[in-house]
Amino acid sequence: DILRRVGVDLLTAEGDGAMFAGGVEGAVPAADGDDGGEVRRTWALEVSDELYEAMQGFGTDEDAVYRNLARVRTQDDWQKIREAFFKSRAGFHNGDLVAALRAELTPKE
């Protein structure tokens, strides 16, 4: 199920930053000498948008959801993605990414 697949800590604001088993494919590293703040926010919006596209409409593209969730490297990444989703998708599950994932994916997915 989604909680086991992605790790409970990433579905909350808490946790020790455990990673997905799928790795970090597509993750954007910070530039040398930079904390990557703006780059990570832009990247988070991209991931947020791709998650929305995978979940909206008729049916859910589970592969796209898991592919994008596998891009998360840290707890901070996850928080930025959740914030981006909240700000840009307020009309979809009230902007709650966790609620959207739970609603759009069945327990076996």
Side-chain angles (χ1 to χ4, degrees):
D1 84 357
I2 184 69
L3 295 176
R4 288 189 187 102
R5 182 93 183 249
V6 301
V8 174
D9 67 314
L10 292 177
L11 294 178
T12 68
E14 302 167 359
D16 63 2
M19 295 296 92
F20 294 106
V24 295
E25 181 179 317
V28 177
D32 287 341
D34 184 278
D35 70 356
E38 188 60 38
V39 171
R40 300 306 296 166
R41 278 187 288 281
T42 302
W43 172 84
L45 182 58
E46 174 188 318
V47 174
S48 168
D49 287 346
E50 290 181 21
L51 286 168
Y52 169 76
E53 290 298 323
M55 292 186 286
Q56 63 93 28
F58 184 75
T60 297
D61 182 349
E62 292 87 2
D63 290 338
V65 169
Y66 289 118
R67 186 173 51 254
N68 279 285
L69 291 177
R71 296 170 67 186
V72 178
R73 294 193 303 185
T74 67
Q75 192 69 29
D76 187 55
D77 287 350
W78 179 239
Q79 284 307 109
K80 283 182 172 67
I81 293 166
R82 289 180 68 192
E83 290 167 10
F85 194 87
F86 180 77
K87 290 176 183 175
S88 65
R89 303 299 176 184
F92 188 72
H93 295 279
N94 294 316
D96 185 339
L97 179 55
V98 174
L101 289 168
R102 287 183 173 147
E104 299 295 324
L105 300 172
T106 65
K108 292 183 180 185
E109 295 173 323

